[in-house]
Amino acid sequence: MAAIIIKIHPADNVAIVANDGGLPAGTEIDDSTRLGEHIPQGHKVSLVDIARGAEIIRYGERIGVAAVFIARGSLVDERLLDLPEPPALHELPIATRTFSRCSSLEGFSFEGYRNQDGSVGTKNVLAIMTSVQCVAGIAEYVVRRIKDGILRKYPHVDDVVSITHAYGCGVAIQAPDAAIPIRTLQNIARNPNFGGEVLVLGLGCEKLEPQQLLPEGHCREDSMLRLQDVHQGGFQEMVKRVTAMAEEKLARLNRRRRESCPLSDLVIGVQCGGSDSFSGVTANPAVGYAADMIVRAGGTVMFSEVTEVRDAIHLLTPRAADEEVGRALIREMEWYDTYLESGRTDRSANPTPGNKLGGLSNVVEKALGSIIKSGSSPIVDVLSHGERVRKKGLVFAATPASDFICGTQQLASGMALQVFTTGRGTPYGLAMVPVIKVSSRTSLSNQWFDLIDLDAGRIASGEAQIGAVGEELFRMIIEVASGRRKTAADRLGLGNDLAVFNPAPVT
């Protein structure tokens, strides 16, 4: 068996094994290195003898310190690495990167749904949102009822979804950090795929009142209902009232049509989940290439996941467009450091056991592979948790690394489409926006052939270059945004529940 070994940077003293099934002990991987033990696929092998206390280098960066002597040809995993200190936030270079002026990409457009506020959607969806968990059952019941028969009367509406959550009552609504879940919910209601026609259901006694969630100018009686105001008729009357209000909105949404829009009107989010050691080699670089193309075409790309940025922040602050953006990046890292400390935990809680099975040893290695999704463009803005996009270009939107919370907050920030990379595999999807899933390994794409939209594992095998896969993804984004192609998650009807980030006290 010919050994396929991937070394990212000339300075690296480890490489990963790309062969399916890994490589057995005794395999020669270069003229002077023979494997001393079996190395599973995606796991690291030492290319030199590494003394105890010496740095382990991958991506040309330190990912750890050797806890013991590591002989050449040995498996290198989390048991042999000590976690290094994170970059000191107040010693970082800010806005020092000089960017060569790239030519803009002209002539690219997509077929989207233009909204009155200037945003453009990729879907035409009715959202029934709750102001409190108590009414989630009614919202979901009505959604099922509409899907079972009523929706077919409105052929130009793609879907009806319930936006439910665990916030709204029994919460310290005046606590400073309560701004995060409230802002998140308010901005989800403004997502461009909802066309300004969100219906909000409340109970009537909750702290977060329905009118607080509606966008400015949309706080109308036909856009909200408190179930405690339905004084007779019981459950069936509630369903009848909600369904009638929903139908009025469906009729308005049904009049919407796609129109040609410049790519500068598109807002996408990028995220990774179930990552492995190939993620930073194949899928994330391809996403970064596509992200750069979208930015060059005038569009907006959000990347997130603070805990998977923190240990690589020294590579991002130089890319800040100016001092203010760099300081904002540092502000969000500091906020999260304090948040973790308050919970008596730290960044070592990430990665997951599955990430480690996929070859990622610690959060430093994971972060270095994760940020590659951001491409190479300057970072033009930084959003705090749940804030709405306000600039075009590459934007950092602060979120936890949790797939579901990150997806929820990117929805709030205004994404109309998401690109999601995975190495271990996940059936993750969002009913509200199309989610393009990109696999880091061809074996995963083959295994989950009907769940993965794009195989980036061809980069590892040498069948394709990063640029070619990135351009393929760029064109797929346009096709999906235009409604000409469905993602696997949309074909299968897969959509995860939303998870609103609430760092504030619950009473």
Side-chain angles (χ1 to χ4, degrees):
M1 176 188 301
I4 306 174
I5 304 296
I6 300 176
K7 178 179 175 179
I8 303 295
H9 189 278
D12 292 355
N13 55 11
V14 294
I16 65 168
V17 170
N19 300 76
D20 285 346
L23 291 173
T27 303
E28 286 193 17
I29 61 173
D30 60 34
D31 292 340
S32 55
T33 305
R34 184 184 295 271
L35 299 187
E37 56 192 305
H38 172 257
I39 309 292
Q41 184 189 40
H43 285 251
K44 293 179 291 296
V45 57
S46 56
L47 301 176
V48 295
D49 289 339
I50 303 173
R52 179 181 179 181
E55 294 182 339
I56 311 295
I57 306 296
R58 189 175 180 222
Y59 298 106
E61 298 284 334
R62 178 182 66 171
I63 64 169
V65 175
V68 297
F69 170 76
I70 303 173
R72 180 197 296 261
S74 299
L75 173 69
V76 179
D77 61 21
E78 73 275 9
R79 298 168 301 172
L80 306 184
L81 274 69
D82 289 331
L83 188 65
E85 288 297 313
L89 292 175
H90 294 284
E91 299 174 7
L92 296 172
I94 294 176
T96 55
R97 179 77 56 81
T98 300
F99 293 91
S100 56
R101 189 171 182 82
C102 292
S103 59
S104 59
L105 289 179
E106 305 288 348
F108 287 98
S109 63
F110 70 106
E111 300 296 311
Y113 294 98
R114 189 170 294 285
N115 300 307
Q116 288 184 350
D117 65 1
S119 65
V120 177
T122 62
K123 280 187 173 184
N124 189 22
V125 176
L126 171 63
I128 300 179
M129 190 177 209
T130 61
S131 62
V132 66
Q133 176 65 17
C134 311
V135 300
I138 298 277
E140 290 168 352
Y141 183 94
V142 171
V143 165
R144 288 196 300 271
R145 189 168 184 267
I146 292 172
K147 284 186 171 184
D148 285 346
I150 297 172
L151 191 58
R152 67 173 62 99
K153 293 162 45 180
Y154 304 97
H156 297 291
V157 179
D158 295 317
D159 203 358
V160 55
V161 298
S162 58
I163 309 288
T164 62
H165 55 89
Y167 198 71
C169 201
V171 294
I173 203 164
Q174 300 300 328
D177 285 341
I180 290 173
I182 295 171
R183 181 170 65 214
T184 298
L185 290 167
Q186 289 171 335
N187 285 336
I188 286 175
R190 298 175 64 192
N191 186 277
N193 288 359
F194 300 152
E197 293 291 347
V198 173
L199 173 59
V200 180
L201 294 187
L203 185 59
C205 58
E206 63 271 26
K207 293 182 180 180
L208 183 64
E209 297 178 290
Q211 64 268 26
Q212 292 177 262
L213 298 181
L214 288 166
E216 188 175 347
H218 292 267
C219 193
R220 308 184 306 257
E221 286 302 314
D222 68 347
S223 292
M224 58 185 176
L225 176 68
R226 299 174 185 83
L227 296 184
Q228 289 173 350
D229 292 343
V230 180
H231 298 302
Q232 57 187 357
F235 173 75
Q236 292 303 329
E237 180 61 23
M238 293 179 193
V239 171
K240 181 180 176 182
R241 292 271 297 274
V242 177
T243 303
M245 295 173 73
E247 283 218 62
E248 290 180 9
K249 292 185 172 295
L250 284 167
R252 287 194 288 270
L253 288 170
N254 198 55
R255 293 194 288 269
R256 298 176 87 202
R257 297 291 185 274
R258 291 185 184 270
E259 59 183 270
S260 184
C261 303
L263 210 58
S264 57
D265 287 331
L266 184 62
V267 179
I268 76 164
V270 298
Q271 186 187 352
C272 50
S275 300
D276 67 357
S277 65
F278 286 100
S279 294
V281 178
T282 60
N284 290 347
V287 171
Y289 191 96
D292 283 343
M293 291 184 73
I294 289 170
V295 169
R296 287 172 57 200
T300 303
V301 177
M302 288 185 289
F303 73 109
S304 299
E305 302 165 287
V306 174
T307 41
E308 295 176 14
V309 163
R310 175 66 176 88
D311 281 273
I313 190 64
H314 60 294
L315 302 177
L316 293 176
T317 52
R319 289 172 52 193
D322 54 39
E323 183 87 7
E324 182 180 359
V325 171
R327 294 295 171 199
L329 278 169
I330 292 170
R331 176 198 70 209
E332 294 303 330
M333 301 301 113
E334 284 185 314
W335 187 95
Y336 217 86
D337 282 355
T338 302
Y339 170 72
L340 291 177
E341 284 175 17
S342 70
R344 297 186 180 181
T345 189
D346 61 27
R347 71 201 212 284
S348 67
N350 193 336
T352 67
N355 295 149
K356 292 178 181 180
L357 284 172
L360 293 173
S361 295
N362 59 30
V363 71
V364 182
E365 183 178 15
K366 191 176 183 183
L368 291 167
S370 177
I371 66 165
I372 298 172
K373 298 191 305 293
S374 69
S376 59
S377 301
I379 302 167
V380 299
D381 201 8
V382 175
L383 307 179
S384 289
H385 301 270
E387 284 188 335
R388 190 171 168 85
V389 159
R390 51 189 171 241
K391 290 185 179 180
K392 295 180 184 296
L394 180 65
V395 174
F396 178 72
T399 76
S402 159
D403 296 350
F404 321 112
I405 299 178
C406 178
T408 301
Q409 289 190 229
Q410 287 190 346
L411 276 172
S413 294
M415 77 167 175
L417 179 150
Q418 189 178 54
V419 178
F420 188 101
T421 68
T422 184
R424 300 284 295 165
T426 171
Y428 170 92
L430 293 170
M432 305 83 189
V433 301
V435 178
I436 297 173
K437 288 206 288 297
V438 182
S439 67
S440 72
R441 296 178 295 119
T442 296
S443 55
L444 174 64
S445 184
N446 291 337
Q447 177 186 348
W448 285 13
F449 59 91
D450 52 356
L451 284 167
I452 299 297
D453 298 292
L454 182 65
D455 171 25
R458 294 169 290 157
I459 296 167
S461 63
E463 296 173 53
Q465 299 297 312
I466 290 171
V469 178
E471 186 165 344
E472 183 180 350
L473 175 59
F474 172 76
R475 295 185 182 278
M476 183 182 292
I477 288 168
I478 293 173
E479 290 294 297
V480 170
S482 300
R484 294 189 290 265
R485 177 170 178 167
K486 276 198 170 187
T487 64
D490 277 350
R491 285 197 306 272
L492 296 167
L494 299 178
N496 287 88
D497 290 340
L498 300 188
V500 174
F501 181 40
N502 177 29
V506 175
T507 60

